[in-house]
Amino acid sequence: MSLLANQSYANPSRPLWAPFGSSGGGSTGPTGPSGSTGATGATGPSGGGGGSVRSQTLLFQVGSLVNGGGPATPFDWTDRPLNLGNPALDGSGNSQVISGMSLNLSNSQITLPSGTYTYSGTASLDMTVGQACVNILSPSTSKQYGCVSSTDSRTFVCPFQGSLTGPCVFTVQTNGQTTFGTDRDLGTAAGFDSNVYCAITVNKIG
């Protein structure tokens, strides 16, 4: 009896003469890198199916030597303006990455469609103590707070992160103590290129 015949019983569903990678964990098999659930497959992380993660960043960006805004009121939660997207938004403020996600350019309200999301971001403040939050407006009102930040020089960023379930509408807010009472309360301009004073990245994970 030949060696081929002696070994074929080990996996009768895959003959030994089948091309390498045509099943299971091979490069083109169902669970291989190019298979249906592999890294680039239809449902894999980089594919077009349910396993893919789509990200949209929204930010408030202004030109060089432009301060972040103010004066701010101490101990008062203030909506932060957002005016750009990366990748770029369409002319109406709709995300071209996450279908149904939009930024209202007049009031900085962010709308998310049904789904599961994570987010992370930062917002600048020139106050002695400050904090950022995601202010959820619908379907019910609540706040998701970031870490409290402080510094002797009064120039810092407030980080925030969390998760959301859509559909929902929210804004990014900051709150601080002891302001300058000028247009630099929400960030001091740098003398090089553009200034970004607030940014949030939203990831659709389900």
Side-chain angles (χ1 to χ4, degrees):
M1 186 176 290
S2 71
L3 182 63
L4 180 63
N6 285 334
Q7 295 184 4
S8 63
Y9 68 87
N11 185 1
S13 65
R14 181 178 185 271
L16 293 180
W17 55 85
F20 175 75
S22 63
S23 70
S27 61
T28 60
T31 61
S34 299
S36 60
T37 61
T40 60
T43 60
S46 299
S52 60
V53 174
R54 294 176 289 283
S55 296
Q56 176 69 64
T57 297
L58 304 173
L59 56 155
F60 176 50
Q61 178 175 305
V62 294
S64 178
L65 299 177
V66 178
N67 288 323
T73 303
F75 304 101
D76 184 32
W77 288 104
T78 303
D79 285 342
R80 298 302 295 265
L82 299 166
N83 60 358
L84 290 174
N86 184 16
L89 305 174
D90 70 10
S92 300
N94 299 308
S95 170
Q96 301 186 75
V97 180
I98 300 175
S99 178
M101 178 181 177
S102 64
L103 169 65
N104 186 322
L105 296 170
S106 65
N107 60 18
S108 296
Q109 292 183 3
I110 302 165
T111 298
L112 296 179
S114 296
T116 304
Y117 304 85
T118 62
Y119 66 85
S120 62
T122 57
S124 298
L125 280 178
D126 277 13
M127 303 187 188
T128 55
V129 180
Q131 189 177 34
C133 79
V134 161
N135 178 42
I136 301 171
L137 302 171
S138 71
S140 60
T141 59
S142 64
K143 294 183 188 292
Q144 295 185 2
Y145 299 99
C147 297
V148 172
S149 300
S150 63
T151 178
D152 290 340
S153 65
R154 304 200 340 162
T155 303
F156 55 93
V157 294
C158 301
F160 57 96
Q161 63 181 4
S163 60
L164 292 166
T165 300
C168 66
V169 179
F170 67 94
T171 60
V172 176
Q173 294 185 327
T174 52
N175 193 352
Q177 302 175 22
T178 313
T179 76
F180 283 109
T182 68
D183 65 354
R184 59 179 283 200
D185 283 344
L186 305 181
T188 300
F192 47 85
D193 210 352
S194 59
N195 298 282
V196 175
Y197 293 111
C198 184
I200 179 172
T201 297
V202 177
N203 305 298
K204 189 176 190 303
I205 61 172

